[in-house]
Amino acid sequence: MATDETPEPEKQSERRPADRRPMPPERPRTPDRAVSADRAENPEPDSAGQKPRKAADSSTPDVIADGGSDGGDDARPRTGRERLVASLWPPRLTRAQLIVALLLFILGLGLAIQVRSTSDSSALRGARQEDLVRILDELDNRSQRLTDEQRRLEGQKTELENSSDQAEEARKQTVEKEQQLGVLAGTVAAQGPGINLTIDDPTHSVEADKLLDTIQELRAAGAEAIQVNDVRVIASTYLSDVRGGVEIDGRRVTQPYRFKVIGKPADLEPALNIPGGVVQTLEKEQAKVSVTGEKKIIVDALREAKRPDYARSSSQ
């Protein structure tokens, strides 16, 4: 009996879907990739005809060629310090930064001037209240003396203008003025209230400059006549150091130095005893200083009046 070996169509159709495989994805075209790479390496020129520079890769470190500017094989990466120096120099300043720098310079200059002017008055700021009061009283006394002198001169002017015998009044005032000038020039003896100042210097450490400072301080306090031992002190007096003592106007004066001073005792004594003044300075030199006020001081040391050789009065 013959058998029919023809496969059944249904079974063949069932096996075909299992044998199918999925198609692989399409790959990008190789020419397109080559074109894009070529464009990245050789960019198109801009409108000006210049090719743009290739962007630097941030991942690639900066290197410095050790072989010089002509190129070399020895290249090393740049350190952080070298990068910092390269970013700071040469400086790149803008107009706004220059304006801010100029304003800061002006502000610093103003502050420096202010600090310097403030430090000039630091000596008075650091003084005690008693010292400030004494300095203020001394200034008031000087101002009062100048005011009194102004009133006296104005009174003399009024007397000359209102006097019936102006010639006699002028002669009288001339005599008084001559006596005053004689006291200042040392040609006339003087008396009045004042102080006695004695400086005992057993160690011979007080020199001429210390005595000169004492005379200047007395004059600033309102001394009208000064005598040191037997020498009258006038405007042209000079002091110099000699062996074993001091010379005043060429005359030798030895210690103890005795000052006779005519003036207001209430002004002279505080001027000498002010902190940091004459008395403290002399005591630092191991000298003994004594100041006593007197109601009557006689200054009798005289100077010879010298007639000038060339100067003449303009009224003659």
Side-chain angles (χ1 to χ4, degrees), residues 110-122 125:
L111 290 176
I113 295 174
Q114 181 68 23
V115 170
R116 184 173 182 180
S117 62
T118 304
S119 61
D120 293 339
S121 59
S122 59
R125 289 187 177 183

Side-chain angles (χ1 to χ4, degrees), residues 218-229:
L218 291 171
R219 284 176 174 173
E224 298 177 354
I226 303 175
Q227 176 179 332
V228 181
N229 289 7

Side-chain angles (χ1 to χ4, degrees), residues 24-302:
E26 295 183 359
R27 296 181 179 179
R29 297 179 181 177
T30 303
D32 296 341
R33 183 184 300 173
V35 170
S36 60
D38 189 17
R39 288 181 180 179
E41 294 179 358
N42 300 319
E44 297 181 359
D46 54 3
S47 60
Q50 297 180 356
K51 293 183 179 181
R53 297 180 180 177
K54 184 179 179 180
D57 190 359
S58 60
S59 62
T60 303
D62 296 337
V63 295
I64 298 178
D66 295 338
S69 60
D70 56 351
D73 296 336
D74 298 335
R76 60 181 178 84
R78 300 176 64 181
T79 62
R81 178 179 298 178
E82 291 173 347
R83 293 182 181 180
L84 179 60
V85 172
S87 63
L88 294 179
W89 189 262
R92 300 176 180 86
L93 299 178
T94 62
R95 181 179 298 178
Q97 292 175 344
L98 291 176
I99 294 175
V100 171
L102 180 60
L103 293 177
L104 291 177
F105 173 76
I106 296 174
L107 179 60
L109 182 61
L111 290 176
I113 295 174
Q114 181 68 23
V115 170
R116 184 173 182 180
S117 62
T118 304
S119 61
D120 293 339
S121 59
S122 59
L124 293 179
R125 289 187 177 183
R128 297 179 301 175
Q129 184 176 2
E130 295 81 1
D131 300 339
L132 294 176
V133 171
R134 290 180 180 179
I135 294 174
L136 183 60
D137 291 341
E138 184 177 354
L139 293 176
D140 292 339
N141 293 331
R142 292 181 182 179
S143 177
Q144 185 64 34
R145 288 196 300 270
L146 293 176
T147 303
D148 295 341
E149 181 68 15
Q150 181 182 2
R151 291 177 180 176
R152 186 181 63 81
L153 294 176
E154 291 178 351
Q156 293 179 358
K157 178 181 177 182
T158 303
E159 291 178 359
L160 287 174
E161 293 176 351
N162 299 332
S163 177
S164 58
D165 190 355
Q166 295 184 358
E168 181 63 23
E169 185 65 26
R171 188 189 64 80
K172 179 180 178 181
Q173 293 184 7
T174 301
V175 172
E176 294 178 358
K177 190 67 175 179
E178 181 182 2
Q179 293 178 353
Q180 295 175 2
L181 294 177
V183 172
L184 297 177
T187 58
V188 178
Q191 64 179 7
I195 62 171
N196 284 320
L197 171 63
T198 303
I199 301 174
D200 191 3
D201 182 27
T203 60
H204 300 281
S205 58
V206 177
E207 298 179 350
D209 57 342
K210 300 296 187 300
L211 297 181
L212 180 60
D213 292 341
T214 303
I215 294 173
Q216 296 291 357
E217 190 67 29
L218 291 171
R219 284 176 174 173
E224 298 177 354
I226 303 175
Q227 176 179 332
V228 181
N229 289 7
D230 296 332
V231 180
R232 184 74 169 267
V233 177
I234 58 176
S236 61
T237 296
Y238 65 92
L239 292 85
S240 59
D241 291 318
V242 294
R243 186 175 181 180
V246 177
E247 282 188 355
I248 302 178
D249 291 338
R251 297 180 59 181
R252 185 183 182 87
V253 178
T254 58
Q255 61 91 23
Y257 307 107
R258 296 182 177 87
F259 287 73
K260 294 181 180 181
V261 185
I262 295 178
K264 189 176 181 180
D267 296 339
L268 299 176
E269 291 185 26
L272 296 176
N273 293 316
I274 192 171
V278 173
V279 174
Q280 287 190 0
T281 302
L282 293 175
E283 288 178 351
K284 290 180 180 180
E285 300 293 337
Q286 299 180 356
K288 298 179 180 179
V289 183
S290 63
V291 182
T292 58
E294 301 289 343
K295 294 182 178 180
K296 183 178 181 180
I297 298 293
I298 299 176
V299 176
D300 52 2
L302 303 180

